[in-house]
């Protein structure tokens, strides 16, 4: 598709962290947006409709996509936590692999000409050589059930493109954070702890997991702008990294948040926060999406960290 103005877009998993940011970005481009997923619709969004459905259930997914016509789908729904995937691998595979298959099958039935953006993860790359950047032609090397499920879901998407001719684009976002993210994830967890310490509700100890990792981190608002760019200008059948192209260690992230704190905090490793397996270095090459769509990350990481910390200060107050 070439323009979103007036386009009817279905966002699955619109009630999650990324969903409200994406809905706002799509509406700003003139799209008419509906949502589908578990639970109630997100508050404060401009959704034109909502279908509550377990999208990994074939009949429920069929009904959700048959509820109203659509020109494009952004598939955000799924289990998004690598840590959770070690605890619940079967749940993770059902949500991410079966959920992608049922969605694409329903698209093939109800709107075979629609563009589908399948959102995966950079974690499919697994460990890469420190100092290098992963490009889209790097092989899969997942180290968690979550990453493995996303690699399998991407293969399902490619198969529907190649076998059934669906207009499918695959996104591989690298780490991203911002307002609205649950403290199950590391940066809002750090921010939540700091806000509680500042409010006098916790001892001045910031409990962390493994900080000896380097990640390519972006703001969620930049990432959803990348999804919009892929809907409008992505190549049918293409696979794209969405990332800054620069690495930052979690040690430096924690140090940056600690500098923003209004009180001094002590940093301690909590064994309960360590994953069974981790990727020491994961930085991406954003060259392909920059060349083909013009998209790039624009927000400085310190601005994002400050926004997340301010959100948790407000929530703690």
């Amino acid at each position: 598709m070439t323009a979103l103005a007036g386009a009817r877009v279905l966002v699955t998993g619109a009630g999650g962290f990324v969903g409200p940011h994406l809905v706002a970005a799509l509406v700003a481009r003139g799209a008419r947006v509906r949502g589908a997923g578990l639970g109630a619709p997100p508050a404060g969004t401009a959704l034109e409709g909502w279908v509550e459905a377990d999208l990994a259930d074939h009949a429920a997914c069929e009904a959700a996509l048959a509820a109203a016509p659509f020109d494009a789908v952004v598939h955000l729904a799924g289990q998004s936590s690598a840590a959770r995937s070690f605890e619940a691998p079967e749940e993770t595979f059902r949500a991410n692999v079966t959920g992608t298959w049922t969605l694409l099958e329903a698209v093939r039935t109800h709107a075979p000409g629609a563009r589908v953006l399948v959102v995966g993860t950079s974690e499919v790359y697994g460990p890469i050589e420190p100092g290098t950047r992963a490009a889209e032609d790097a092989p899969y090397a997942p180290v968690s059930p979550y990453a493995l499920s996303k690699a399998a879901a991407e293969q399902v998407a490619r198969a529907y493109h190649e076998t059934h001719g669906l207009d499918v684009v695959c996104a591989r976002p690298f780490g991203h954070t911002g307002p609205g993210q649950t403290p199950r994830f590391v940066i809002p967890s750090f921010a939540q702890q700091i806000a509680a310490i500042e409010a006098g509700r916790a001892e001045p100890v910031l409990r962390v997991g493994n900080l000896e990792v380097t990640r390519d981190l972006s703001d969620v608002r930049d990432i959803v702008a990348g999804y919009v760019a892929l809907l409008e200008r992505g190549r049918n059948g293409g696979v794209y990294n969405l990332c800054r192209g620069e690495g930052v260690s979690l040690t430096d992230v924690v140090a940056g948040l600690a500098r923003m704190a209004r009180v001094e905090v002590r940093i301690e490793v909590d064994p309960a926060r360590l994953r069974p397996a981790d990727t020491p270095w994961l930085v991406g090459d954003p060259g392909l999406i920059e060349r083909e769509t013009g998209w790039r990350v624009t927000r400085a990481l310190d601005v994002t960290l400050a926004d997340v910390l301010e959100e948790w200060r407000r929530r703690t107050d």
Side-chain angles (χ1 to χ4, degrees):
M1 59 192 305
T2 57
L4 284 170
R8 300 161 299 184
V9 182
L10 175 66
V11 178
T12 72
F17 161 52
V18 177
H21 295 286
L22 178 59
V23 171
L26 290 169
V27 170
R29 299 289 287 181
R32 300 169 56 193
V33 188
R34 294 171 53 247
L38 298 173
T45 60
L47 288 171
E48 292 191 2
W50 175 263
V51 178
E52 183 176 354
D54 175 2
L55 295 168
D57 179 273
H58 181 72
C61 189
E62 284 277 341
L65 270 67
F70 55 90
D71 304 302
V73 181
V74 182
H75 186 40
L76 295 175
Q79 200 293 97
S80 59
S81 167
R84 171 68 182 163
S85 76
F86 286 104
E87 302 166 4
E90 185 176 358
E91 169 196 306
T92 300
F93 271 76
R94 181 181 181 278
N96 294 348
V97 184
T98 304
T100 300
W101 171 75
T102 53
L103 176 87
L104 292 168
E105 187 63 20
V107 169
R108 188 166 75 95
T109 300
H110 298 287
R115 164 148 290 193
V116 184
L117 179 63
V118 175
V119 176
T121 177
S122 62
E123 294 200 29
V124 299
Y125 294 119
I128 65 171
E129 186 69 25
T132 66
R133 304 195 301 178
E136 290 82 355
D137 58 356
Y140 294 145
V143 299
S144 69
Y146 166 72
L148 183 57
S149 74
K150 283 295 193 176
E154 192 175 282
Q155 289 302 301
V156 171
R158 289 186 180 186
Y160 268 80
H161 166 68
E162 294 169 1
T163 304
H164 300 297
L166 293 190
D167 181 357
V168 178
V169 179
C170 292
R172 291 178 184 164
F174 282 65
H176 48 286
T177 190
Q181 191 174 32
T182 170
R184 287 188 300 135
F185 293 87
V186 291
I187 291 174
S189 169
F190 300 154
Q192 181 189 43
Q193 291 181 70
I194 289 172
I197 293 167
E198 290 177 341
R201 298 180 185 175
E203 60 178 323
V205 178
L206 180 59
R207 292 180 169 81
V208 302
N210 177 21
L211 299 183
E212 301 303 314
V213 298
T214 295
R215 293 290 182 265
D216 191 327
L217 294 174
S218 302
D219 191 292
V220 64
R221 292 159 289 194
D222 279 327
I223 294 297
V224 300
Y227 296 160
V228 170
L230 290 178
L231 281 177
E232 293 185 320
R233 301 184 294 279
R235 177 172 28 87
N236 187 359
V239 179
Y240 298 88
N241 288 339
L242 284 82
C243 55
R244 189 182 297 274
E246 301 171 3
V248 60
S249 72
L250 283 189
T251 299
D252 289 343
V253 170
V254 168
L257 283 167
R259 285 193 298 271
M260 295 176 190
R262 295 167 181 165
V263 296
E264 287 202 17
V265 297
R266 187 170 74 254
I267 298 166
E268 290 185 2
V269 174
D270 178 359
R273 296 173 182 265
L274 299 174
R275 292 183 184 179
D278 218 331
T279 301
W281 174 281
L282 188 55
V283 178
D285 181 351
L288 182 62
I289 192 171
E290 289 180 0
R291 291 191 300 273
E292 295 195 3
T293 74
W295 173 86
R296 57 181 49 84
V297 169
T298 60
R299 285 177 175 82
L301 182 57
D302 280 351
V303 172
T304 305
L305 296 178
D307 286 350
V308 175
L309 183 53
E310 280 303 315
E311 177 192 26
W312 281 101
R313 284 171 173 154
R314 290 193 301 271
R315 293 176 69 167
T316 300
D317 290 342

